[in-house]
């Protein structure tokens, strides 16, 4: 079985950012009205910056929203490589300044990501999954989350029957050691988005759909949750 894929293509990045931000905000608002709270897991990199800026201006009750990360580089939160810093700089402003943020980086174990896994995993689980929305990105090598080609824990991370919440990841293309939600946790969501831009990434996604062995294929071949793909040139 493969995921049901809903495709949303836009003429430009700004229109994509505006539409995706409003769609995510609507999901969070509906969750708050239905259950009194909402949870959102986001990805890093350069792609979501514009969307974060639009999302931050959406008028929902952000004080009832918890934002966390799909994955993180194991660096201090003041590093320009930190996804937590990215979220602080681009999302947790304006209307969204009252949102709660749950980081993946644990400064108490800054020299050993593996020592932090149990504690970080417990904090994620304490959110009370499923997430209301998870926003994935994808690199030109076909990685999503920190599911990197050649990653030391890739097979375990993308095992659909795995029981871990988070895992460490080291790979040639990853730079620093990483921490990542596992595939089962990424899929434990009411709504799953993939935000990609550029012809190169569209081509990688098509190759993965056709059967080439990119890590993003683990998301495409699951049947637990539909995948909404947002793409612009």
């Amino acid at each position: 079985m493969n995921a049901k894929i809903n495709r949303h293509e836009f003429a430009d990045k700004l229109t994509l950012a505006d539409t995706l931000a409003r769609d995510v905000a609507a999901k969070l608002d509906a969750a708050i009205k239905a259950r009194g709270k909402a949870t959102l897991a986001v990805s890093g990199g350069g792609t979501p910056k514009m969307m974060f800026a639009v999302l931050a201006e959406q008028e929902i009750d952000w004080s009832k929203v918890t934002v966390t990360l799909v994955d993180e580089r194991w660096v201090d939160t003041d590093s320009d490589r930190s996804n937590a810093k990215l979220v602080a700089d681009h999302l947790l402003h304006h209307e969204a300044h009252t949102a709660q943020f749950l980081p993946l980086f644990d400064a108490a174990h800054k020299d050993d990501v593996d020592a932090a896994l149990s504690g970080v995993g417990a904090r994620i689980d304490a959110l009370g999954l499923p997430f209301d929305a998870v926003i994935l990105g994808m690199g030109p090598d076909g990685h999503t989350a920190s599911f990197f080609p050649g990653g030391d824990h890739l097979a375990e991370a993308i095992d659909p029957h795995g029981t871990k919440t988070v895992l460490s990841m080291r790979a040639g293309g990853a730079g620093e050691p990483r921490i990542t939600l596992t595939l089962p946790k990424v899929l434990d969501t009411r709504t799953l988005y993939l935000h990609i831009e550029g012809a190169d990434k569209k081509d990688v996604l098509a190759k993965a759909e056709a059967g080439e062995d990119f890590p993003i294929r683990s998301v495409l071949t699951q049947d637990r949750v539909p995948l909404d793909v947002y793409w612009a040139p």
Side-chain angles (χ1 to χ4, degrees):
M1 296 283 295
N2 290 341
K4 177 185 177 183
I5 299 177
N6 304 308
R7 301 179 192 277
H8 312 264
E9 298 195 355
F10 302 90
D12 58 79
K13 296 173 183 178
L14 180 58
T15 306
L16 185 161
D18 185 75
T19 305
L20 178 55
R22 293 176 188 278
D23 288 352
V24 170
K27 296 295 183 185
L28 300 178
D29 190 47
I32 292 165
K33 290 173 178 174
R35 293 175 290 280
K37 65 177 184 176
T39 52
L40 168 66
V42 299
S43 299
T47 301
K49 289 180 181 179
M50 190 183 302
M51 186 274 293
F52 284 166
V54 180
L55 182 57
E57 296 179 346
Q58 302 307 300
E59 295 182 355
I60 64 174
D61 189 350
W62 283 99
S63 68
K64 295 184 171 124
V65 178
T66 300
V67 179
T68 191
L69 292 163
V70 171
D71 67 322
E72 178 63 283
R73 301 174 179 94
W74 208 247
V75 295
D76 288 323
T77 54
D78 60 357
S79 167
D80 288 338
R81 297 277 292 166
S82 167
N83 286 339
K85 186 176 188 300
L86 178 80
V87 169
D89 289 349
H90 296 278
L91 176 56
L92 302 180
H93 291 284
H94 303 293
E95 298 293 332
H97 79 279
T98 58
Q100 304 298 307
F101 179 66
L102 179 62
L104 298 186
F105 178 73
D106 183 353
H109 299 287
K110 65 179 182 179
D111 297 322
D112 186 1
V113 59
D114 293 294
L117 295 178
S118 62
V120 175
R123 289 192 285 275
I124 293 293
D125 290 339
L127 289 175
L129 302 186
F131 294 108
D132 292 297
V134 170
I135 308 174
L136 296 173
M138 187 188 73
D141 61 356
H143 86 267
T144 191
S146 281
F147 308 157
F148 280 87
D152 60 347
H153 293 136
L154 177 61
E156 186 178 5
I158 64 174
D159 179 356
H161 306 295
T163 59
K164 301 285 182 65
T165 297
V166 292
L167 284 170
S168 61
M169 194 71 66
R170 298 165 185 84
E176 305 88 348
R178 307 264 186 136
I179 186 171
T180 185
L181 297 181
T182 60
L183 179 66
K185 293 302 176 182
V186 165
L187 301 180
D188 195 359
T189 182
R190 294 181 173 90
T191 315
L192 182 63
Y193 300 95
L194 176 63
H195 177 187
I196 57 173
E197 296 173 354
D200 56 338
K201 291 187 180 181
K202 187 178 185 181
D203 184 54
V204 169
L205 187 65
K207 289 177 179 178
E209 288 184 79
E212 290 196 33
D213 189 22
F214 294 100
I216 188 65
R217 186 164 168 75
S218 64
V219 177
L220 303 175
T221 56
Q222 55 82 28
D223 60 0
R224 287 183 55 180
V225 60
L227 177 66
D228 282 275
V229 178
Y230 284 63
W231 175 83

